[in-house]
Amino acid sequence: MAETANTAGASKAANDAQEAMRKQIAELRREITKINRTLSDRAEEAQGWYESAAERASRAARQLRSQAHTVTETVQQNPGTISSAMMLGGVLGVLLGIVIAKSSEPERRWF
């Protein structure tokens, strides 16, 4: 009789353990479903952001191409003016560099 009580107790404990595991598995499945939904939502947001960024980059590239074409036409139509402006800019840059170099260093006396 004691053996049947032990067997019945062990069987009940095994059933309780199985039921607890089923509950844990069900809870884990619910958690995985929540995580999958969250990932899906984030993926949709990221795809929308990517498409938006790609469209903006495309528009910016078209605008840059248009501006580069305009500059090229201007240079081709006025080569003398552009080269003069470049020379003047270079001379002003050198002069500005000399002025900054002179003002930043204290005067050195070697005598």
Side-chain angles (χ1 to χ4, degrees), residues 12-25:
K12 179 156 175 44
N15 287 340
D16 289 345
Q18 274 187 330
E19 187 61 33
M21 288 188 71
R22 285 187 190 123
K23 287 180 182 178
Q24 287 179 349
I25 290 171

Side-chain angles (χ1 to χ4, degrees), residues 11-101:
S11 176
K12 179 156 175 44
N15 287 340
D16 289 345
Q18 274 187 330
E19 187 61 33
M21 288 188 71
R22 285 187 190 123
K23 287 180 182 178
Q24 287 179 349
I25 290 171
E27 181 64 31
L28 288 172
R29 285 184 179 159
R30 284 192 292 272
E31 289 294 321
I32 288 172
T33 302
K34 286 180 188 178
I35 290 170
N36 285 339
R37 269 192 236 128
T38 302
L39 288 174
S40 175
D41 292 344
R42 298 263 171 98
E44 288 175 9
E45 289 174 14
Q47 184 175 0
W49 179 85
Y50 174 77
E51 289 171 358
S52 174
E55 178 61 31
R56 281 182 280 174
S58 176
R59 276 188 269 141
R62 282 193 302 265
Q63 183 68 26
L64 285 173
R65 193 177 312 121
S66 172
Q67 289 178 357
H69 184 68
T70 303
V71 168
T72 302
E73 285 180 354
T74 304
V75 169
Q76 287 175 349
Q77 292 173 358
N78 305 308
T81 304
I82 299 299
S83 61
S84 298
M86 295 294 281
M87 291 288 277
L88 180 61
V91 169
L92 287 176
V94 168
L95 290 175
L96 184 62
I98 291 171
V99 168
I100 290 172

